[in-house]
Amino acid sequence: MIKTLGSLALIGTFSFSMEFYAKLEPLNTYNIKSSVSGNITYVNKSIESKNILKDTVIKIDSIVNKIDLKQSVLKLKSLEDILAIENSTLESYKKISSKSKFDKDNQKIKILNIESSMSDLKTKIATLKDQIKKKTLIENDKYIYNIAVEIGDYVNPGTLLYTAMDLTKGKLEVYIPMDSAKNIKNKTIYIDGKKSNLKISKLYSVADSKHISSYKCEIIVTNPETFSKLTKIEFK
């Protein structure tokens, strides 16, 4: 058997058996970036390099947002009360024959202006609530690989905050020569010399941008015990 080494893969040339090497990596890695601006007020360094069920990772200062939200809610309540009064006034105008069309139209305009202000306030309140929510970052059932900020740092939208991984599934990626790819779909997959029940999750039909004469093949592994281990993969 002739084998060539390239990009973590040893490729057998016999059609009945092909073998490769790849590192088992988490299926999904998430680079969490800030969507708001502000100072970092809390960093949970104790969970770095750990798998957490549910925990707060980072908090961004939201004091001003919360004050603004409270005042905006109070202002909206006041406008709702004023609107009720102005609507009542308009209804009374309709019953008074001495009130001119000009008076009635001015009252309608006043009501429309109040309703417009209320609409703007509702949008502002929704935006503030969303900003406050996004300033406390909580993760569920994730591995916290790296926290990239410290307390006191000022972040802008797009700033990397931390990297999280889903360790419930892993993936093995190998690159199959184009002329051999069609022959592996129904073959049994052996991992480190042992027969497995694993199946090919994805086999791309467009050549890889780096491995220009190969198709990328992805194998999903559920609940793997370890990651980053060099794994031997055989198709027999």
Side-chain angles (χ1 to χ4, degrees), residues 68-81:
D68 196 1
L69 175 61
K70 182 178 179 180
Q71 294 302 316
S72 296
V73 170
L74 291 173
K75 187 174 181 179
L76 179 61
K77 181 62 173 62
S78 296
L79 286 176
E80 288 172 345
D81 293 340

Side-chain angles (χ1 to χ4, degrees), residues 52-114:
I52 59 173
L53 293 178
K54 184 177 182 180
D55 218 326
T56 300
V57 184
I58 284 170
K59 289 183 180 180
I60 301 172
D61 181 29
S62 61
I63 293 177
V64 174
N65 301 100
K66 290 178 178 178
I67 293 172
D68 196 1
L69 175 61
K70 182 178 179 180
Q71 294 302 316
S72 296
V73 170
L74 291 173
K75 187 174 181 179
L76 179 61
K77 181 62 173 62
S78 296
L79 286 176
E80 288 172 345
D81 293 340
I82 293 171
L83 180 63
I85 294 171
E86 297 298 348
N87 274 323
S88 178
T89 300
L90 178 61
E91 290 303 313
S92 67
Y93 279 9
K94 293 177 181 179
K95 299 175 183 178
I96 301 173
S97 57
S98 61
K99 285 294 180 180
S100 66
K101 183 177 183 300
F102 177 80
D103 292 331
K104 295 175 183 178
D105 286 346
N106 278 342
Q107 186 62 21
K108 288 180 181 178
I109 291 171
K110 186 183 294 185
I111 290 171
L112 290 173
N113 285 334
I114 294 171

Side-chain angles (χ1 to χ4, degrees), residues 42-48 50-59 136-142 144 147 162 164:
Y42 172 80
V43 176
N44 193 351
K45 282 288 187 180
S46 66
I47 62 175
E48 195 171 28
K50 295 180 181 178
N51 197 35
I52 59 173
L53 293 178
K54 184 177 182 180
D55 218 326
T56 300
V57 184
I58 284 170
K59 289 183 180 180
T136 298
L137 291 97
I138 299 172
E139 286 293 344
N140 293 285
D141 196 18
K142 295 290 189 301
I144 307 304
I147 299 177
Y162 61 92

